[in-house]
Amino acid sequence: MNQQTLPSLDLSEAIKLAWSKLTQFSGRSRRSEFWWAYLTFYVGAIVVSMVPIIGAVAALALELATIPLIFRRLHDTGRSGWWMGADIILSIAGATAFFVNFFSVMGEMFMGNEMDNMEPMEALMMVFQIFGNPVVLSLLIVSIIVKITILVFLCQDSNPEPNRYGDSPKYVF
């Protein structure tokens, strides 16, 4: 079979395509569609977050809009979108473990009234106690490894052949 590579999408094409599949988790998205759309959503989230209260909600909505895009991009490299699901679960678990540990340490400090005359070294030890918790530290390390792995996957070229997620949006036979 003769394989032909379609040209990269420009910014406007990528945004139109990503916008038309905003809630679609199935299928595939090529690199140019992903990176242009992701850049646009990310810059948009930064800009709208400057508006008090409403901006935070709009920024969160733009961030959530990238999740299906990441799923489709992972599909294009032949990988499950659940890599992103694992990242989300690890992030929530890590944040929960951090805040539980943080409030536990702070509660101990307030109960003992040790906050009034705290030396800088004691404050540093408190930070180490919060982040040095084995559960928090383990979740943080695993989360960073998963995020780096996903980034590598997102940067890889499309699989030229059709895969279980559909035909290649980049290569035509």
Side-chain angles (χ1 to χ4, degrees), residues 24-55:
Q24 182 181 333
F25 284 83
S26 61
R28 297 169 63 168
S29 289
R30 53 192 296 193
R31 273 188 303 196
S32 56
E33 174 190 347
F34 173 78
W35 287 111
W36 281 121
Y38 192 83
L39 175 68
T40 304
F41 288 160
Y42 189 75
V43 169
I46 290 172
V47 170
V48 298
S49 69
M50 294 178 192
V51 177
I53 301 170
I54 296 171

Side-chain angles (χ1 to χ4, degrees), residues 18-141:
W19 193 258
S20 71
K21 301 186 285 186
L22 193 60
T23 60
Q24 182 181 333
F25 284 83
S26 61
R28 297 169 63 168
S29 289
R30 53 192 296 193
R31 273 188 303 196
S32 56
E33 174 190 347
F34 173 78
W35 287 111
W36 281 121
Y38 192 83
L39 175 68
T40 304
F41 288 160
Y42 189 75
V43 169
I46 290 172
V47 170
V48 298
S49 69
M50 294 178 192
V51 177
I53 301 170
I54 296 171
V57 173
L60 177 62
L62 284 171
E63 286 293 321
L64 292 175
T66 64
I67 294 173
L69 184 65
I70 294 170
F71 267 62
R72 291 193 312 273
R73 180 69 199 124
L74 288 168
H75 290 169
D76 194 41
T77 64
R79 293 175 178 85
S80 171
W82 282 108
W83 277 93
M84 184 63 189
D87 181 42
I88 291 168
I89 291 167
L90 282 168
S91 296
I92 291 170
T96 302
F98 171 80
F99 284 115
V100 165
N101 193 44
F102 175 80
F103 288 118
S104 171
V105 169
M106 293 305 287
E108 290 174 19
M109 298 295 285
F110 280 119
M111 294 303 252
N113 292 325
E114 298 174 20
M115 296 293 285
D116 296 338
N117 300 320
M118 185 180 288
E119 297 291 323
M121 195 62 173
E122 290 175 316
L124 185 61
M125 291 307 291
M126 183 178 76
V127 170
F128 282 130
Q129 189 176 0
I130 293 169
F131 284 103
N133 179 301
V135 173
V136 173
L137 200 54
S138 299
L139 286 169
L140 178 67
I141 291 169

